[in-house]
Amino acid sequence: QVQLVESGGGLVQPGGSLRLSCKASGFTLDHYTIGWFRQAPGKEREGVSCISSSDGSTYYADSVKGRFAISRDKDNNAVYLQMNSLKLEDTAVYSCATDFLGRWHLPCSQASRYGYWGQGTQVTVSS
């Protein structure tokens, strides 16, 4: 059974840090491109970051560039999103996705590329 489970969300003050985890079961995460997306109330889903399966190249949205970092952990079949210097506007539900059975021709920043999604984890940045 293919499954993605996110964890690591929570409440943090502006300027703080969190590390989100996306752990997979039923398939090898390292074989697929993984994306992180977020959606705040009343806003469209936004592609935050992704990491390619082919060459490990990464993508970051302009809004998080220089503050967030995506990485793989092959031993634990996981992908992480390190979030530093968090801002109020980073508050959202963060979800990871894999292009396992996805549409590989689409850019990794597009949600339509991905075939499986986790349930999401809430990140709240508040003073």
Side-chain angles (χ1 to χ4, degrees):
Q1 181 182 359
V2 174
Q3 192 174 17
L4 294 173
V5 179
E6 302 97 334
S7 62
L11 175 64
V12 63
Q13 292 184 341
S17 297
L18 286 173
R19 189 180 78 159
L20 304 184
S21 298
C22 173
K23 295 191 176 181
S25 58
F27 70 105
T28 302
L29 205 62
D30 196 45
H31 294 173
Y32 299 94
T33 293
I34 306 299
W36 280 100
F37 292 79
R38 68 184 180 186
Q39 189 164 22
K43 294 188 176 181
E44 292 188 358
R45 182 165 50 190
E46 175 189 15
V48 174
S49 180
C50 48
I51 185 164
S52 169
S53 60
S54 57
D55 58 4
S57 59
T58 57
Y59 159 85
Y60 296 97
D62 287 343
S63 57
V64 306
K65 205 169 290 183
R67 301 188 296 122
F68 290 12
I70 191 170
S71 61
R72 291 186 183 271
D73 181 348
K74 297 180 182 180
D75 292 339
N76 290 297
N77 205 26
V79 168
Y80 304 114
L81 185 68
Q82 178 68 42
M83 306 188 298
N84 299 325
S85 303
L86 283 161
K87 303 177 181 180
L88 297 175
E89 53 264 39
D90 293 320
T91 295
V93 175
Y94 286 71
S95 301
C96 65
T98 173
D99 65 0
F100 177 81
L101 297 182
R103 301 161 73 180
W104 295 358
H105 64 286
L106 296 176
C108 76
S109 58
Q110 285 195 20
S112 299
R113 177 187 178 103
Y114 299 94
Y116 282 87
W117 292 76
Q119 83 289 350
T121 185
Q122 176 70 46
V123 171
T124 302
V125 184
S126 175
S127 55

